[in-house]
Amino acid sequence: MSGHTEFNRAAFLAGSLAVIGGGLPRRGRSAEPAGPSVDPKEGLARLMSGNERFVNNDIPTTSAVAEKRELLTESQAPFAAILSCSDSRVVPNLIFVQGIGDLFIARVAGNYPDDLVTASIEYAIEHLGTRLIMVLGHQNCGAVKAVYTAIETKKSLPVHLSTIERLMSPGIESVVKAHGTEMAAVEANVRAAVATLRTTSSVLATGVKSGRLLVVGAVYQLGSGKVQLLD
């Protein structure tokens, strides 16, 4: 695990208690979803502590889903926004043991942001108070593999898929030319996506510069379930 930050277990336990119905206030109390007051480093600690529980199969029993759902009908305040791959094996709420209303998730094959994805993340920041953004790549990513092969063989992907190739190629080209591994390409793609978010969005650039926002990259291992932060 990268030494990106120290993880506060207490912050996690206080902030999120169940996979789907988690963090549910008792009847008679107002809803207190994680929101603008959540420091991005505290949010990252919460995610990583949740992932540790997922790896250890320490997942709380789902409860009171309907009540939590009802409490969130008028508003939401997710403490983290996650850009992940559309891969069916990558399910952020499970991977980080978070519940309804905790995570704002954008999913697209290859977890690389286009204008629509960037706009979605900006919405979470400006309107929902989200202060932590994570780009989550994963082991054996089919989109990365397809773009890697397209660059290597000099055979472009078909229409529509070529859009993914156009976005992702600059970030992994050097890995392909060096005959690097597909995992190296996955990591390079995540780093490129993080850099794109940080530089092409004035909202994110300003937030990162001021210290209000944290944008990080990570890779999910399909077999172990472990998420590793990238430097």
Side-chain angles (χ1 to χ4, degrees):
M1 179 70 67
S2 164
H4 197 284
T5 187
E6 293 185 2
F7 304 125
N8 186 333
R9 294 175 187 275
F12 165 75
L13 293 173
S16 182
L17 300 178
V19 182
I20 301 299
L24 178 64
R26 295 181 181 179
R27 289 184 183 275
R29 294 177 58 194
S30 60
E32 298 176 352
S37 62
V38 177
D39 180 86
K41 290 183 179 179
E42 180 184 341
L44 184 58
R46 187 180 298 181
L47 288 183
M48 300 310 292
S49 294
N51 179 244
E52 186 175 344
R53 296 184 71 175
F54 178 70
V55 169
N56 293 325
N57 202 31
D58 177 19
I59 301 175
T61 303
T62 300
S63 62
V65 176
E67 187 174 355
K68 179 66 181 292
R69 186 177 62 219
E70 185 178 348
L71 287 169
L72 294 173
T73 55
E74 299 299 327
S75 65
Q76 59 171 316
F79 72 88
I82 298 180
L83 168 53
S84 74
C85 185
S86 300
D87 194 294
S88 63
R89 300 165 293 181
V90 182
V91 187
N93 282 81
L94 287 176
I95 291 170
F96 295 111
V97 191
Q98 299 299 319
I100 294 174
D102 292 331
L103 304 179
F104 185 92
I105 301 170
R107 301 189 66 172
V108 62
N111 47 265
Y112 198 94
D114 59 8
D115 288 345
L116 184 57
V117 168
T118 302
S120 298
I121 293 172
E122 287 183 350
Y123 174 81
I125 294 166
E126 294 198 305
H127 295 275
L128 306 179
T130 306
R131 296 179 59 191
L132 170 65
I133 299 91
M134 174 184 283
V135 177
L136 183 64
H138 68 94
Q139 177 188 21
N140 292 338
C141 179
V144 170
K145 192 177 296 186
V147 174
Y148 190 111
T149 301
I151 296 171
E152 191 174 42
T153 62
K154 295 183 172 59
K155 293 182 180 178
S156 294
L157 295 174
V159 177
H160 299 305
L161 287 177
S162 62
T163 301
I164 297 175
E165 180 185 352
R166 176 177 55 80
L167 290 170
M168 292 170 56
S169 288
I172 70 171
E173 233 168 7
S174 60
V175 176
V176 178
K177 289 179 179 177
H179 304 290
T181 64
E182 286 180 7
M183 181 52 77
V186 166
E187 293 181 1
N189 182 57
V190 169
R191 290 190 174 97
V194 168
T196 294
L197 286 174
R198 285 175 175 167
T199 58
T200 62
S201 166
S202 60
V203 172
L204 273 78
T206 301
V208 170
K209 186 176 180 179
S210 69
R212 184 178 180 277
L213 299 180
L214 181 62
V215 185
V216 300
V219 173
Y220 173 63
Q221 300 292 335
L222 296 177
S224 68
K226 191 175 183 64
V227 171
Q228 181 170 356
L229 292 172
L230 300 180
D231 294 325

